[in-house]
Amino acid sequence: MLTTHPFDDDKLHEECGVFGVSGTPSAAALVALGLHALQHRGQEAVGITSYDGDNFHTHRAMGHVAGNFDRDEVIRALTGEVATGHVRYATTGDTALRNVQPLYAELQSGGFAIAHNGNLSNAARLRRELVRRGSIFQSTSDTEVIIHLVATSNYRTLLDRLIDALKQVEGAYSLVVMTPEGMIACRDPLGIRPLVMGRLDDAVIFASETVALDVCGATFERAVDPGELIIVQGTEIRSIRPFAPMAARPCIFEWVYFSRPDSIVDEQSIYTVRKEIGAQLAAESSVDADLVIPVPDSGVPAAIGYAQASGIPFELGIIRSHYVGRTFIQPGDKVRHLGVKLKHNANRALIKGKRVILVDDSIVRGTTSLKIVQMMREAGAAEVHLRVASPPTAHSCFYGVDTPERAGLLAAKHDLCGMTDFIHADSLAFVSIDGLYKALGEAKRADVRPKYCDACFTGDYPTTLTDQDESAEVDQFAMLAERVN
Ligand code: SF4
């Protein structure tokens, strides 16, 4: 089987997108539309839960929004003026339907549906404690830990129970929660994953990205602040900030790759920042060449920025087919190796005899970069230089992004020379961490706490990593025990 985007297989994958609406009879239809715009944040599964004042209704399925939520009967069954939805790419938990969100539970206070973007870095520890105290888990998702913490909290009101639960978790969470008392949106105190609020007439909307507001015809109101809970009950909206204030550390990779280029994050256009990163890259690592070629699609804005700053012409040297379905069953072993060309093919007439600069947004394992460089050489390129619009990804992410173990990351195994050899390029360069911050209008200073989470480049994680630390301890103990034996 070939996935839709062979070039995207070797990327960090954002794990989820969330979307919630309160205050319109077409809530579920709007959620479906919003999730469609967030499809790039998770393509494995999708779900919508609605509330009609008496009952909760849920439809969850594997696959894309289109194909699952484009049938009238599915949307019509999701009645009510409040609805929330989720697109997913598994970070923790397996790919079974039981892990597809929104997760739902009947608590003492009534129904409780939750959609979560992010990942809890102490979920395994909390889960063990909850199971010891008698909790019975229905899924393997880290999000279910929040439900059990709410269910077992000693506080009286549902809101206080939720706050109590959130004070026990660590890591990244942007949540949309639905209860009979209303909708609650919240973002972890560091604001690692994005969450914005918008309006469509009298309806209030929460979404992972502004692009989802655009497609619904909603207006952007503001970002949900790190550490803020916004409670919507009918027409009443309240904001509370129950956590100790701390400096935010939003994920810098949202600007590099995750968010759609037509989204605005923290008042900055993703597209403009990506072009600026390309310009920084050109300033830091120029090379004589004939063409600047983007690796489609995510490398396009940075390649435009690189070309404009360097004066080297921008050309489409790799053409993407838009007619390859979600998966394609390979007709036989003989043609299996041709799979990558089904989706992307070199523009041979343009490339032959030229010195080309390929611009990509990131390198994870390096396997795709190797294929693309090879593709350029087979098309007759005289020289192939790869420029990458992010620093080397040398550390795993534990905040809701699918990353290989550290040992699988190209930059964790090789220095620049080794990476260049691995991908068979004539030269390879990454934008520096300073250059990346500069593109965001910031300065990275060693003596000041960074403004963003940049841990996958620097290893400087903004939270404790309880589960990681504990599993490292277990491994160490097992190694010692093995030596003693
Ligand atoms: Fe984003 Fe990297 Fe931090 Fe994960 S580790 S939240 S991908 S910057």
Side-chain angles (χ1 to χ4, degrees):
M1 296 246 280
L2 168 70
T3 60
T4 328
H5 305 292
F7 284 7
D8 296 345
D9 283 351
D10 190 23
K11 296 284 179 206
L12 297 188
H13 289 281
E14 171 58 60
E15 299 308 341
C16 305
V18 295
F19 192 93
V21 181
S22 176
T24 172
S26 48
L30 267 184
V31 173
L33 211 55
L35 291 181
H36 211 288
L38 298 174
Q39 190 75 84
H40 59 288
R41 298 184 76 87
Q43 290 109 54
E44 188 181 76
V46 55
I48 298 179
T49 299
S50 68
Y51 178 62
D52 63 13
D54 293 314
N55 296 303
F56 286 81
H57 309 274
T58 295
H59 185 77
R60 300 183 299 167
M62 305 309 290
H64 287 195
V65 182
N68 283 305
F69 287 96
D70 45 8
R71 297 196 310 278
D72 274 352
E73 66 270 23
V74 173
I75 295 294
R76 265 202 307 269
L78 295 165
T79 52
E81 297 200 351
V82 188
T84 188
H86 188 267
V87 284
R88 174 172 196 267
Y89 185 102
T91 4
T92 59
D94 53 43
T95 55
L97 198 56
R98 65 190 172 142
N99 286 328
V100 178
Q101 299 192 20
L103 294 186
Y104 177 78
E106 288 286 344
L107 306 185
Q108 201 184 3
S109 50
F112 184 94
I114 182 168
H116 172 200
N117 177 201
N119 190 59
L120 308 180
S121 52
N122 64 342
R125 147 92 74 94
L126 290 169
R127 187 184 175 106
R128 278 197 304 277
E129 285 167 8
L130 284 159
V131 168
R132 208 163 31 235
R133 284 174 9 217
S135 289
I136 298 168
F137 277 75
Q138 303 292 324
S139 74
T140 54
S141 157
D142 61 325
T143 310
E144 195 183 343
V145 163
I146 298 175
I147 297 179
H148 287 274
L149 290 173
V150 172
T152 55
S153 169
N154 290 325
Y155 282 86
R156 202 177 54 79
T157 69
L158 186 76
L159 184 59
D160 285 340
R161 285 166 168 253
L162 178 62
I163 293 166
D164 182 36
L166 296 180
K167 284 187 174 172
Q168 296 173 66
V169 302
E170 72 184 32
Y173 54 86
S174 282
L175 305 176
V176 181
V177 171
M178 260 175 24
T179 77
E181 291 168 32
M183 177 170 274
I184 304 166
C186 70
R187 208 166 157 206
D188 67 74
L190 292 164
I192 296 176
R193 305 256 73 90
L195 189 64
V196 296
M197 177 172 151
R199 290 273 198 171
L200 181 63
D201 304 322
D202 292 335
V204 180
I205 301 180
F206 298 102
S208 293
E209 289 183 40
T210 58
V211 66
L213 302 177
D214 295 344
V215 302
C216 295
T219 50
F220 168 74
E221 194 149 301
R222 68 178 180 87
V224 177
D225 286 336
E228 181 183 20
L229 276 79
I230 299 180
I231 303 118
V232 184
Q233 288 173 304
T235 53
E236 192 196 327
I237 301 174
R238 279 189 300 140
S239 160
I240 55 169
R241 292 159 203 269
F243 306 102
M246 59 178 81
R249 297 276 300 272
C251 167
I252 206 165
F253 230 105
E254 291 287 344
W255 283 273
V256 170
Y257 175 68
F258 299 147
S259 289
R260 251 175 66 158
D262 43 346
S263 276
I264 312 275
V265 180
D266 278 353
E267 295 173 18
Q268 303 217 62
S269 146
I270 296 284
Y271 180 79
T272 307
V273 169
R274 283 184 193 161
K275 269 178 64 181
E276 193 48 45
I277 299 172
Q280 283 294 329
L281 196 49
E284 290 178 2
S285 55
S286 67
V287 58
D288 271 346
D290 304 307
L291 303 173
V292 173
I293 292 175
V295 175
D297 292 326
S298 50
V300 172
I304 294 172
Y306 192 105
Q308 287 177 352
S310 65
I312 300 170
F314 171 96
E315 293 286 0
L316 296 179
I318 301 169
I319 305 300
R320 177 180 162 184
S321 163
H322 292 276
Y323 304 104
V324 178
R326 182 157 177 264
T327 55
F328 179 77
I329 312 291
Q330 298 290 304
D333 280 349
K334 265 192 180 167
V335 294
R336 183 152 294 148
H337 70 285
L338 299 174
V340 72
K341 291 184 177 168
L342 266 179
K343 188 73 187 175
H344 296 99
N345 191 31
N347 189 352
R348 194 172 286 270
L350 178 83
I351 290 162
K352 198 162 188 300
K354 301 284 189 347
R355 299 165 301 165
V356 303
I357 301 173
L358 289 170
V359 180
D360 204 353
D361 54 84
S362 56
I363 296 184
V364 180
R365 293 180 189 83
T367 46
T368 300
S369 307
L370 172 64
K371 280 184 206 155
I372 301 167
V373 170
Q374 252 168 5
M375 188 186 275
M376 292 294 104
R377 295 213 188 276
E378 282 167 20
E383 291 172 21
V384 185
H385 305 274
L386 180 58
R387 295 293 176 267
V388 185
S390 60
T393 303
H395 303 268
S396 303
C397 175
F398 304 102
Y399 303 124
V401 170
D402 175 47
T403 12
E405 299 251 312
R406 217 181 152 212
L409 297 168
L410 187 69
K413 292 191 284 195
H414 299 286
D415 61 9
L416 187 64
C417 222
M419 288 192 270
T420 313
D421 286 349
F422 180 87
I423 63 168
H424 295 173
D426 291 290
S427 79
L428 168 68
F430 296 81
V431 76
S432 66
I433 190 84
D434 293 349
L436 178 56
Y437 271 74
K438 233 174 172 177
L440 282 152
E442 302 289 332
K444 169 98 176 160
R445 285 175 41 195
D447 57 330
V448 175
R449 196 169 186 265
K451 192 176 166 198
Y452 300 97
C453 174
D454 52 22
C456 47
F457 308 131
T458 61
D460 173 15
Y461 293 96
T463 70
T464 43
L465 300 173
T466 301
D467 293 343
Q468 279 307 112
D469 296 346
E470 286 183 353
S471 76
E473 267 172 38
V474 170
D475 289 349
Q476 238 174 7
F477 185 73
M479 262 168 51
L480 279 173
E482 214 165 87
R483 270 190 223 148
V484 170
N485 291 334

